[in-house]
Amino acid sequence: MTTQTLEKPAKTAMNGVDVPTFLATLGVVGETPEIAKFTFRANGEWLSGTHSRTAFTGFHGAMQEMKHRREYDVECDHPQVLCGTDNAATPVELLLAALASCITAGIGNIASIRQVKLHAVETSVEGDVDLNGILGLDKTARNGFTGVRMAVTIRGDAPQEKLREIVEQSVARSAVFDVLRNGVPISVEMAG
């Protein structure tokens, strides 16, 4: 009688995710937890009316200052019905986009780690705002969203239950979902 050792096949890159590097990163962070502390930055400027631009050039992460491959920026504005010039999406729409993007990125990573080939991931997010709060007309009305709803459609080479587990894990690990669900301390001060 012979004894054979069954080896698990090595996980491979999938869905555009470099799984071996991802797993190696998890190992490094497990050994050196402080490497996981990041500070992201955004620098905004007013353009005109309700139109603004925010740039993202660098961040602190992996225990050092880092720069993006190039500078990124986004613009925001309000639609004409809200006294803007409708030159860009509203800030609250970017918040919805951040939620959709964070959940989608998590799905891509988690599916890849689990070696599930994805065919499509689509999200639909909407949030309700009562402008009476923002406009100062009703002190009991909240300024921000009163509710956010998100629908995720996912197709891949796995049973529906496994795809559901991937979405649920992505939501459970999403930084943007966490901030929206649990809030975060924010300080605002006048500079210069």
mmCIF file of all heavy atoms in Angstrom, residues 76-79 86 88-100 125 145:
data_model
loop_
_atom_site.group_PDB
_atom_site.id
_atom_site.type_symbol
_atom_site.label_atom_id
_atom_site.label_comp_id
_atom_site.label_asym_id
_atom_site.label_seq_id
_atom_site.Cartn_x
_atom_site.Cartn_y
_atom_site.Cartn_z
ATOM 1 N N CYS A 76 -17.607 67.902 -9.263
ATOM 2 C CA CYS A 76 -18.977 67.798 -8.757
ATOM 3 C C CYS A 76 -19.705 69.101 -9.046
ATOM 4 O O CYS A 76 -19.087 70.172 -9.113
ATOM 5 C CB CYS A 76 -18.991 67.557 -7.243
ATOM 6 S SG CYS A 76 -18.563 65.887 -6.769
ATOM 7 N N ASP A 77 -20.979 69.014 -9.185
ATOM 8 C CA ASP A 77 -21.828 70.187 -9.382
ATOM 9 C C ASP A 77 -23.232 69.799 -8.926
ATOM 10 O O ASP A 77 -23.467 68.653 -8.543
ATOM 11 C CB ASP A 77 -21.820 70.604 -10.858
ATOM 12 C CG ASP A 77 -22.264 72.050 -11.082
ATOM 13 O OD1 ASP A 77 -22.663 72.734 -10.105
ATOM 14 O OD2 ASP A 77 -22.205 72.504 -12.239
ATOM 15 N N HIS A 78 -24.121 70.731 -8.972
ATOM 16 C CA HIS A 78 -25.532 70.458 -8.710
ATOM 17 C C HIS A 78 -26.282 70.625 -10.025
ATOM 18 O O HIS A 78 -25.864 71.423 -10.872
ATOM 19 C CB HIS A 78 -26.101 71.426 -7.670
ATOM 20 C CG HIS A 78 -25.575 71.182 -6.299
ATOM 21 N ND1 HIS A 78 -25.876 72.003 -5.247
ATOM 22 C CD2 HIS A 78 -24.780 70.213 -5.792
ATOM 23 C CE1 HIS A 78 -25.297 71.558 -4.147
ATOM 24 N NE2 HIS A 78 -24.615 70.474 -4.460
ATOM 25 N N PRO A 79 -27.394 69.926 -10.211
ATOM 26 C CA PRO A 79 -28.180 70.118 -11.430
ATOM 27 C C PRO A 79 -28.829 71.505 -11.426
ATOM 28 O O PRO A 79 -28.918 72.169 -10.379
ATOM 29 C CB PRO A 79 -29.221 69.008 -11.369
ATOM 30 C CG PRO A 79 -29.283 68.592 -9.945
ATOM 31 C CD PRO A 79 -27.962 68.909 -9.339
ATOM 32 N N ASP A 86 -24.966 71.951 -13.625
ATOM 33 C CA ASP A 86 -25.012 70.563 -14.088
ATOM 34 C C ASP A 86 -23.786 70.196 -14.928
ATOM 35 O O ASP A 86 -23.883 69.511 -15.936
ATOM 36 C CB ASP A 86 -26.307 70.305 -14.868
ATOM 37 C CG ASP A 86 -26.735 68.840 -14.779
ATOM 38 O OD1 ASP A 86 -26.202 68.100 -13.924
ATOM 39 O OD2 ASP A 86 -27.606 68.426 -15.564
ATOM 40 N N ALA A 88 -21.349 68.333 -13.710
ATOM 41 C CA ALA A 88 -20.834 67.053 -13.214
ATOM 42 C C ALA A 88 -21.877 66.431 -12.294
ATOM 43 O O ALA A 88 -22.893 67.055 -11.973
ATOM 44 C CB ALA A 88 -19.515 67.275 -12.464
ATOM 45 N N ALA A 89 -21.598 65.217 -11.856
ATOM 46 C CA ALA A 89 -22.476 64.541 -10.905
ATOM 47 C C ALA A 89 -22.472 65.289 -9.577
ATOM 48 O O ALA A 89 -21.540 66.026 -9.263
ATOM 49 C CB ALA A 89 -21.997 63.099 -10.689
ATOM 50 N N THR A 90 -23.513 65.088 -8.775
ATOM 51 C CA THR A 90 -23.581 65.727 -7.460
ATOM 52 C C THR A 90 -22.684 64.978 -6.479
ATOM 53 O O THR A 90 -22.364 63.799 -6.688
ATOM 54 C CB THR A 90 -25.021 65.721 -6.911
ATOM 55 O OG1 THR A 90 -25.414 64.367 -6.660
ATOM 56 C CG2 THR A 90 -26.004 66.381 -7.874
ATOM 57 N N PRO A 91 -22.287 65.639 -5.395
ATOM 58 C CA PRO A 91 -21.476 64.946 -4.383
ATOM 59 C C PRO A 91 -22.149 63.690 -3.835
ATOM 60 O O PRO A 91 -21.483 62.668 -3.634
ATOM 61 C CB PRO A 91 -21.283 66.006 -3.298
ATOM 62 C CG PRO A 91 -21.374 67.305 -4.027
ATOM 63 C CD PRO A 91 -22.416 67.075 -5.093
ATOM 64 N N VAL A 92 -23.465 63.721 -3.632
ATOM 65 C CA VAL A 92 -24.125 62.526 -3.092
ATOM 66 C C VAL A 92 -24.165 61.406 -4.125
ATOM 67 O O VAL A 92 -24.138 60.228 -3.766
ATOM 68 C CB VAL A 92 -25.536 62.821 -2.523
ATOM 69 C CG1 VAL A 92 -25.444 63.667 -1.262
ATOM 70 C CG2 VAL A 92 -26.446 63.438 -3.554
ATOM 71 N N GLU A 93 -24.181 61.747 -5.417
ATOM 72 C CA GLU A 93 -24.098 60.704 -6.442
ATOM 73 C C GLU A 93 -22.719 60.043 -6.417
ATOM 74 O O GLU A 93 -22.599 58.841 -6.622
ATOM 75 C CB GLU A 93 -24.384 61.289 -7.825
ATOM 76 C CG GLU A 93 -25.856 61.629 -8.028
ATOM 77 C CD GLU A 93 -26.122 62.407 -9.296
ATOM 78 O OE1 GLU A 93 -25.364 63.373 -9.591
ATOM 79 O OE2 GLU A 93 -27.098 62.059 -9.992
ATOM 80 N N LEU A 94 -21.668 60.837 -6.148
ATOM 81 C CA LEU A 94 -20.336 60.248 -6.033
ATOM 82 C C LEU A 94 -20.257 59.329 -4.819
ATOM 83 O O LEU A 94 -19.536 58.322 -4.849
ATOM 84 C CB LEU A 94 -19.263 61.331 -5.944
ATOM 85 C CG LEU A 94 -18.971 62.082 -7.242
ATOM 86 C CD1 LEU A 94 -17.785 63.030 -7.047
ATOM 87 C CD2 LEU A 94 -18.699 61.148 -8.391
ATOM 88 N N LEU A 95 -20.984 59.654 -3.767
ATOM 89 C CA LEU A 95 -21.028 58.772 -2.604
ATOM 90 C C LEU A 95 -21.669 57.428 -2.982
ATOM 91 O O LEU A 95 -21.180 56.367 -2.595
ATOM 92 C CB LEU A 95 -21.790 59.446 -1.465
ATOM 93 C CG LEU A 95 -21.766 58.748 -0.122
ATOM 94 C CD1 LEU A 95 -20.352 58.624 0.410
ATOM 95 C CD2 LEU A 95 -22.630 59.528 0.868
ATOM 96 N N LEU A 96 -22.743 57.482 -3.777
ATOM 97 C CA LEU A 96 -23.373 56.242 -4.254
ATOM 98 C C LEU A 96 -22.407 55.472 -5.159
ATOM 99 O O LEU A 96 -22.307 54.246 -5.078
ATOM 100 C CB LEU A 96 -24.668 56.559 -5.010
ATOM 101 C CG LEU A 96 -25.789 57.193 -4.188
ATOM 102 C CD1 LEU A 96 -26.972 57.532 -5.089
ATOM 103 C CD2 LEU A 96 -26.210 56.316 -3.029
ATOM 104 N N ALA A 97 -21.672 56.203 -5.998
ATOM 105 C CA ALA A 97 -20.678 55.556 -6.871
ATOM 106 C C ALA A 97 -19.575 54.906 -6.040
ATOM 107 O O ALA A 97 -19.101 53.811 -6.373
ATOM 108 C CB ALA A 97 -20.084 56.575 -7.841
ATOM 109 N N ALA A 98 -19.161 55.563 -4.963
ATOM 110 C CA ALA A 98 -18.131 54.992 -4.095
ATOM 111 C C ALA A 98 -18.620 53.681 -3.485
ATOM 112 O O ALA A 98 -17.875 52.701 -3.412
ATOM 113 C CB ALA A 98 -17.744 55.987 -2.998
ATOM 114 N N LEU A 99 -19.869 53.645 -3.059
ATOM 115 C CA LEU A 99 -20.433 52.416 -2.494
ATOM 116 C C LEU A 99 -20.466 51.317 -3.551
ATOM 117 O O LEU A 99 -20.006 50.193 -3.303
ATOM 118 C CB LEU A 99 -21.829 52.668 -1.928
ATOM 119 C CG LEU A 99 -22.544 51.447 -1.344
ATOM 120 C CD1 LEU A 99 -21.770 50.868 -0.170
ATOM 121 C CD2 LEU A 99 -23.964 51.814 -0.933
ATOM 122 N N ALA A 100 -20.981 51.628 -4.730
ATOM 123 C CA ALA A 100 -21.058 50.642 -5.807
ATOM 124 C C ALA A 100 -19.667 50.138 -6.178
ATOM 125 O O ALA A 100 -19.449 48.931 -6.342
ATOM 126 C CB ALA A 100 -21.755 51.239 -7.028
ATOM 127 N N VAL A 125 -27.655 51.563 -7.411
ATOM 128 C CA VAL A 125 -27.724 52.164 -6.086
ATOM 129 C C VAL A 125 -28.546 53.441 -6.167
ATOM 130 O O VAL A 125 -28.370 54.246 -7.093
ATOM 131 C CB VAL A 125 -26.314 52.518 -5.546
ATOM 132 C CG1 VAL A 125 -26.388 52.933 -4.092
ATOM 133 C CG2 VAL A 125 -25.351 51.377 -5.735
ATOM 134 N N PHE A 145 -28.638 61.350 3.264
ATOM 135 C CA PHE A 145 -29.555 60.310 2.821
ATOM 136 C C PHE A 145 -30.432 59.831 3.970
ATOM 137 O O PHE A 145 -29.967 59.640 5.089
ATOM 138 C CB PHE A 145 -28.780 59.107 2.276
ATOM 139 C CG PHE A 145 -28.148 59.329 0.932
ATOM 140 C CD1 PHE A 145 -26.792 59.118 0.749
ATOM 141 C CD2 PHE A 145 -28.905 59.726 -0.156
ATOM 142 C CE1 PHE A 145 -26.208 59.303 -0.490
ATOM 143 C CE2 PHE A 145 -28.333 59.924 -1.397
ATOM 144 C CZ PHE A 145 -26.978 59.711 -1.571
#
